[in-house]
Amino acid sequence: MRAVWLGTAHGVGAVFRSIGRGAKGLDPAHRKDGLALLLLGLALVVAAGTWSNLQGPVGDLVEMLVTGAFGRLDLLAPILLGAMAVRLILYPERPDANGRIVIGLSALVIGVLGQVHIACGSPGRDAGTEAMQDAGGLIGWATSKPLIFMMGEVLAVPLLVLLTVFGLLVVTATPVNAIPQRLRQLGVRLGIVEPSPRTSRGTRATTSATTSSGATPCPRAPAGAGPGAPTPDPTTTGPRRRRSPSAAAPAVPPPSPR
């Protein structure tokens, strides 16, 4: 009996090792597509568990993990997973930008859940699972509880707001000093703010430079010519040729014989 179990274990291990070696041989583009499709499948399962009353062990698992972690904001979990999957499908060649977006979304979610947990009364684990799920969940509790314990809600809320703003800036790749300019550009696009003269002047200059970049330049008039003077033809005008000394000097007659 022991030999049978050992043989079965060795066989299962060999199968998984062969699958792992085959996965290492996959094209990196296929690996990224597989990860994106996996996230998309998880988004569908989580959406079925949070947006509808999914029955069975899968529904119970989604309620325990997703609703227990995100609390009353569990409806946003499938949207985040779907957005990450679409991002990986559309831009698989930008790993740096994708990593930046993941970091920014994490900071954004943590900050928002912490504020939601404080707004719902900061229930602890001793209040029960339902109270935690009706607030910010385990993530909101783990984020807000240490801050409340060390400095109180008066300072915990502003710090969580700053964390939320930081996550939003990281997701949109916007530095702090560029916030007024980005807001003005957004207002111009929405038609709320009129474009400034400097901006419109710069746009016209850029347009004219782009239009004239492929045009043939016109010949310039000579210096001192008036506005009505004709423009010389570049095919007929040009530098004058110098006369050679032999052609300029008069011919000398030969000396007569004596």
Side-chain angles (χ1 to χ4, degrees):
M1 191 67 180
R2 182 180 180 183
V4 173
W5 280 110
L6 289 176
T8 304
H10 284 298
V12 173
V15 170
F16 278 103
R17 283 193 295 269
S18 62
I19 294 175
R21 286 192 296 267
K24 290 181 180 180
L26 284 177
D27 188 20
H30 291 162
R31 296 182 191 175
K32 295 177 182 178
D33 291 341
L35 178 59
L37 294 177
L38 177 61
L39 291 177
L40 191 58
L42 289 177
L44 293 176
V45 174
V46 173
T50 55
W51 295 354
S52 63
N53 190 13
L54 183 63
Q55 302 295 331
V58 176
D60 298 338
L61 184 62
V62 169
E63 183 181 0
M64 181 180 64
L65 295 179
V66 179
T67 308
F70 290 86
R72 61 171 54 196
L73 296 184
D74 57 348
L75 301 177
L76 300 179
I79 298 178
L80 295 177
L81 291 175
M84 293 168 58
V86 172
R87 174 76 188 184
L88 289 177
I89 292 174
L90 296 180
Y91 307 102
E93 72 282 355
R94 301 180 183 178
D96 297 335
N98 295 334
R100 171 181 57 80
I101 291 176
V102 170
I103 294 174
L105 285 177
S106 301
L108 184 64
V109 169
I110 290 174
V112 170
L113 289 178
Q115 297 176 65
V116 170
H117 197 78
I118 294 177
C120 294
S122 304
R125 300 186 64 181
D126 53 352
T129 306
E130 294 184 0
M132 294 280 291
Q133 293 179 355
D134 290 337
L138 288 175
I139 298 178
W141 171 80
T143 304
S144 61
K145 194 66 175 180
L147 296 177
I148 295 174
F149 177 76
M150 289 186 295
M151 59 192 68
E153 295 183 2
V154 178
L155 291 178
V157 174
L159 291 178
L160 292 173
V161 171
L162 290 178
L163 181 61
T164 305
V165 173
F166 170 74
L168 185 60
L169 294 178
V170 171
V171 170
T172 58
T174 304
V176 178
N177 56 359
I179 293 178
Q181 181 181 0
R182 295 288 180 90
L183 292 177
R184 184 172 185 81
Q185 292 176 357
L186 180 61
V188 170
R189 291 181 180 179
L190 296 177
I192 303 175
V193 181
E194 295 182 358
S196 60
R198 182 181 302 177
T199 305
S200 59
R201 193 184 309 120
T203 305
R204 289 197 300 268
T206 305
T207 306
S208 61
T210 306
T211 306
S212 61
S213 59
T216 304
C218 299
R220 296 182 178 180
T231 303
D233 188 1
T235 59
T236 58
T237 59
R240 296 183 178 180
R241 302 175 63 182
R242 293 184 178 182
R243 300 176 62 184
S244 60
S246 59
V252 180
S256 60
R258 294 180 179 181

